[in-house]
Amino acid sequence: MNAGMYGAIGVKKEAAWCICNAMADAITQQKKSLVEHGAIEVLAGMLKPQHNIKESALVLVIEGLEGILGIYGKAGSMNPYADMFEELEGLDHLERIQADENLSEDAYNAIIMLMRKYYDTDDIIYNNGEEGGELLTAKIDTNTNQFAFGVGGINNTKNNNTSNNNFGNRNNPFGCSNNMNNNRQIYQF
């Protein structure tokens, strides 16, 4: 493991390859032993930009991580290995790699699946780059079957079919009088 963390790049790649192969066939106790000796550090280190690993190696590292992170279960449960990988900036490296436009669809999907499975990425909300924003939801006016986006609340719909001004309303947007059936449902986005 020492060579995988501090050796030359070629040695680091070989160490990562060995760890990933071991994860494929190891039992849980063997996987835990490898983690105790630095397996997560080696795999997270391989994702650093300076290593510029090929996609085939990337997918292999993701499979190795899957073997390690799967020991403690999916997102939502206590997973010290997922926390350790995140603390080692491995998750940040995966997000950087995933944003690469030249990344193949297979590699992209492998990263997304790992992140969704172990990190609840669908539930993380960012507000100006900071985690912890809140979800915005639109209210639906049940009378007009339209969205109300906090612009003074839901319109008063008792007089929606006629307009007292030249600007119209939701059912008659141009303020025109016509013989069209104004009771139809209109969906506006």
Side-chain angles (χ1 to χ4, degrees), residues 83-108:
D83 294 341
M84 184 185 301
F85 181 70
E86 188 171 5
E87 289 169 7
L88 292 166
E89 298 179 352
L91 194 58
D92 295 332
H93 295 312
L94 282 178
E95 289 173 347
R96 176 189 50 77
I97 292 168
Q98 174 242 335
D100 183 359
E101 293 178 2
N102 298 319
L103 190 66
S104 73
E105 189 173 335
D106 290 338
Y108 176 85

Side-chain angles (χ1 to χ4, degrees), residues 3 15 31 38-39 67 106 112 118 122 149 154 179 185 189:
K31 291 178 182 181
D106 290 338
I112 295 299
Y118 297 104
D122 290 338
F149 289 103
I154 297 174
N179 293 329
Q185 292 182 348
F189 298 95

